[in-house]
Amino acid sequence: MRDDPRLPSSSGFWRSPLRGPRFTSVLGLVLLFGITVLFVTGLVSYAAYNPDLSPVNDQTPEKGILGFYLFDWPTGPHWLYRLNQGVHVTLGITLIPVLLAKLWSVIPRLFALPPARSLAHALERISLLLLVGGALFEFVTGVLNVQLDYVFPGSFYPLHFYGAWVFFAAFVAHVVLKMPIALSNLRHLREEKEVTEEEKNDLVAPRPAEPTVSRRGALWFVGGGSLLLFATTVGQNVDGLRRTALLAPHGGGDPGSGPNGFQINKTAAYARIDAAETGEDAWRLVVTGRTGTVRLSRADLAGLTLHSAALPIACVEGWSTSDQWWRGVRLRDLAALVGYDGDPPDLFVESLQRRGAFRRAALRANQVADPRSLLALYVNGEELSPDHGFPARIIVPAAPGVLNTKWVARMTFGDL
């Protein structure tokens, strides 16, 4: 049965002349660089949430040693998270054609019989299954999250987090096993040598079909697909190119017009914000700290010393805005109102939002202390719109968008 050419376990079933060690090695080395960058930027994005500060910031419970990170998230440069997440998401989407071509090039190995010829071969097959399964899982959940299509069970954060560790562990094991072979194949390619019979592997069809395109042409086709995805995604981070981001939910023109005419992730309607509770007579900001609690109306806040800062909004889904001019009360000045005249402590923020993740968020002391960190009342010279967080929202340099809480109701200063 194994030699029946009608079955995928037979070498005669796979007849494409494109498959071979050189084609696979070129794709593998592109993925080696790209996936390493994706993993590093993913860890950096995880650190941006200050995951050990408060459970509300970390959606990955019982992570153990996998939840390590090496530094507290800084506030400068103010575009740091915008750059990191833009690279992470744009590169991930750009690599999809390369990943699919790589999986296509090695698919005969997934059906090879017997499943294991030795213990070493069995371990290699297991790592390969984890690698392929992990890659598909990470890229599929990542793309669905970018498209705001949350059809997977459970929260995206732990799924993507744990999946990344499984995938990257299998990826490292695969690289260690295959790197010498890949480098040898590329050396032959650079020297334009033919692959000898000894160097051929189980990817080369014993009875190949007639070629319809060269291997070099196939690589150009894969590269063209990646370039097309890059061109239709990267614009979600650049105002002048936003209309080119056809595959991004936040592509196209800016929503609305005027000072509040920039990208929105969660609308007031989605968050179930009742206009009656944000009115001047009803809304009060509750600020709690060392010396007790104060309640401030929006007019009270507007009567305090106001400051301005030019900061972007950058989201985990990879989209971002250009710098917007925010005006409001410094977080460290609000801390001073409740007894923190020196270095301010950590801050716990609660929103009027009634649905969705990150209705509450924690900010580290260095973020509170930054003079650009504001409880914003205005943007670009106008009052915040309801969708941008009226009556007041947090804006902090270099912080992920979900930590810039909108529709703020309560602020509690103190060590968390």
Side-chain angles (χ1 to χ4, degrees):
M1 291 292 290
R2 184 174 59 185
D3 295 327
D4 188 338
R6 294 172 299 179
L7 298 176
S9 57
S10 170
S11 59
F13 183 86
W14 309 101
R15 300 190 60 204
S16 172
L18 297 180
R19 288 191 181 91
R22 294 182 182 177
F23 184 74
T24 300
S25 297
V26 171
L27 297 172
L29 285 182
V30 173
L31 289 175
L32 172 63
F33 170 78
I35 288 175
T36 300
V37 173
L38 287 180
F39 188 71
V40 171
T41 52
L43 287 181
V44 171
S45 179
Y46 175 71
Y49 284 76
N50 288 317
D52 71 339
L53 181 60
S54 170
V56 301
N57 281 18
D58 191 357
Q59 304 293 314
T60 52
E62 300 179 0
K63 57 191 178 297
I65 194 173
L66 297 181
F68 79 94
Y69 73 107
L70 301 177
F71 56 92
D72 293 339
W73 189 248
T75 56
H78 72 277
W79 40 259
L80 179 59
Y81 191 74
R82 183 185 187 192
L83 173 64
N84 181 85
Q85 209 58 20
V87 169
H88 183 77
V89 172
T90 303
L91 178 60
I93 292 176
T94 301
L95 286 177
I96 288 175
V98 182
L99 174 68
L100 294 178
K102 171 71 172 177
L103 294 179
W104 173 86
S105 74
V106 299
I107 196 171
R109 287 180 176 162
L110 299 179
F111 295 93
L113 296 176
R117 297 188 294 268
S118 64
L119 177 60
H121 184 243
L123 293 175
E124 180 183 349
R125 291 297 296 276
I126 292 173
S127 71
L128 184 61
L129 288 175
L130 291 174
L131 179 67
V132 173
L136 292 175
F137 180 82
E138 286 298 285
F139 276 80
V140 169
T141 55
V143 169
L144 288 174
N145 185 63
V146 169
Q147 295 299 322
L148 309 179
D149 194 3
Y150 305 106
V151 297
F152 32 75
S155 171
F156 165 77
Y157 296 92
L159 289 174
H160 207 64
F161 178 84
Y162 292 123
W165 277 109
V166 172
F167 169 53
F168 197 72
F171 179 72
V172 170
H174 187 73
V175 168
V176 170
L177 290 169
K178 298 300 183 181
M179 180 60 75
I181 298 173
L183 292 177
S184 175
N185 290 333
L186 288 178
R187 185 168 59 252
H188 286 297
L189 180 64
R190 187 171 57 250
E191 296 170 357
E192 298 184 353
K193 291 183 179 180
E194 291 295 328
V195 178
T196 65
E197 289 299 321
E198 292 77 17
E199 291 169 323
K200 288 184 178 181
N201 57 27
D202 54 351
L203 298 179
V204 179
R207 296 182 298 278
E210 287 296 319
T212 57
V213 65
S214 67
R215 286 190 177 121
R216 184 164 295 180
L219 289 174
W220 276 109
F221 179 76
V222 173
S226 290
L227 183 61
L228 178 63
L229 288 179
F230 174 83
T232 53
T233 303
V234 70
Q236 66 178 333
N237 292 292
V238 184
D239 282 349
L241 299 178
R242 208 170 294 276
R243 291 184 181 278
T244 68
L246 303 177
L247 299 182
H250 293 277
D254 289 341
S257 59
N260 279 275
F262 56 95
Q263 279 62 34
I264 298 165
N265 207 21
K266 290 184 294 190
T267 64
Y270 169 86
R272 297 179 180 172
I273 302 300
D274 187 347
E277 62 186 338
T278 60
E280 180 63 33
D281 294 335
W283 182 82
R284 294 294 183 272
L285 173 68
V286 179
V287 183
T288 301
R290 179 187 293 158
T291 58
T293 298
V294 297
R295 295 170 60 86
L296 301 167
S297 67
R298 199 171 189 280
D300 294 331
L301 290 167
L304 299 175
T305 302
L306 302 184
H307 299 269
S308 297
L311 300 172
I313 294 176
C315 193
V316 69
E317 287 99 0
W319 65 270
S320 61
T321 72
S322 57
D323 289 355
Q324 311 295 323
W325 276 101
W326 307 91
R327 187 163 178 80
V329 183
R330 288 175 174 172
L331 298 186
R332 67 185 191 184
D333 293 342
L334 290 170
L337 290 178
V338 287
Y340 297 98
D341 295 321
D343 293 334
D346 304 329
L347 170 61
F348 188 72
V349 184
E350 299 172 78
S351 173
L352 293 172
Q353 179 182 340
R354 288 184 171 81
R355 59 174 294 191
F358 292 98
R359 296 184 294 273
R360 299 173 296 168
L363 297 174
R364 197 173 289 281
N366 69 302
Q367 295 175 308
V368 177
D370 193 291
R372 298 167 295 179
S373 296
L374 304 174
L375 179 71
L377 307 176
Y378 307 93
V379 63
N380 299 323
E382 187 176 279
E383 284 189 347
L384 296 168
S385 69
D387 286 340
H388 279 302
F390 181 88
R393 68 169 296 162
I394 299 292
I395 187 72
V396 173
V402 291
L403 299 186
N404 291 316
T405 308
K406 298 194 286 188
W407 312 293
V408 176
R410 179 182 292 270
M411 302 172 67
T412 304
F413 291 93
D415 295 333
L416 300 179

